[in-house]
Amino acid sequence: MSSLSCYRWRLAPDGLATRRQLRALGLRPGGQDVVAELHRPRRRKAPLVAYLYRIDHARPVRPMTPGRAAALAAAMRARRTCPNCRTDVGYCIPRSLGMCVPCNDTPPSSS
């Protein structure tokens, strides 16, 4: 059994927030431990669990540096580049296909 406090969906006390809620406030957990759990019930499945952090112990989000921005741009460019036709297709290539949709829809040429 967990030693954390458990709250039902929408019943968490003020002063606690999930990671996404902290991010919307421009904050991050900043190394603090999880304070409580939030349980959202679902039919015929285990409940969804979200971890809650204290807002007053959260730290500001680190600013984006030019190096991190360049690395993120390069990673997104690699996700948009088709390995077959080597073009930037303008969207992230589906991992299920492994290539852009036009390359996937084109039948292989029989040589």
Side-chain angles (χ1 to χ4, degrees):
M1 187 75 187
S2 174
S3 64
L4 297 174
S5 301
C6 296
Y7 298 101
R8 288 189 48 89
W9 184 248
R10 298 183 190 254
L11 297 178
D14 292 336
L16 299 180
T18 63
R19 282 182 175 268
R20 286 188 181 194
Q21 291 169 336
L22 287 176
R23 189 63 154 185
L25 296 172
L27 301 171
R28 62 186 170 96
Q32 65 174 304
D33 292 331
V34 175
V35 177
E37 292 181 350
L38 184 69
H39 292 262
R40 180 178 181 205
R42 300 189 295 175
R43 293 183 190 197
R44 300 185 198 102
K45 291 184 180 180
L48 293 175
V49 177
Y51 298 113
L52 298 173
Y53 301 90
R54 291 181 53 173
I55 295 175
D56 58 344
H57 287 171
R59 295 184 180 157
V61 175
R62 295 184 186 116
M64 181 67 75
T65 62
R68 288 174 62 194
L72 180 61
M76 292 306 294
R77 193 177 325 104
R79 289 183 65 190
R80 292 189 315 260
T81 304
C82 176
N84 284 358
C85 60
R86 301 279 185 210
T87 58
D88 186 343
V89 292
Y91 57 86
C92 289
I93 295 174
R95 292 179 61 194
S96 60
L97 299 179
M99 61 185 79
C100 66
V101 175
C103 287
N104 186 58
D105 291 344
T106 305
S109 60
S110 55
S111 298

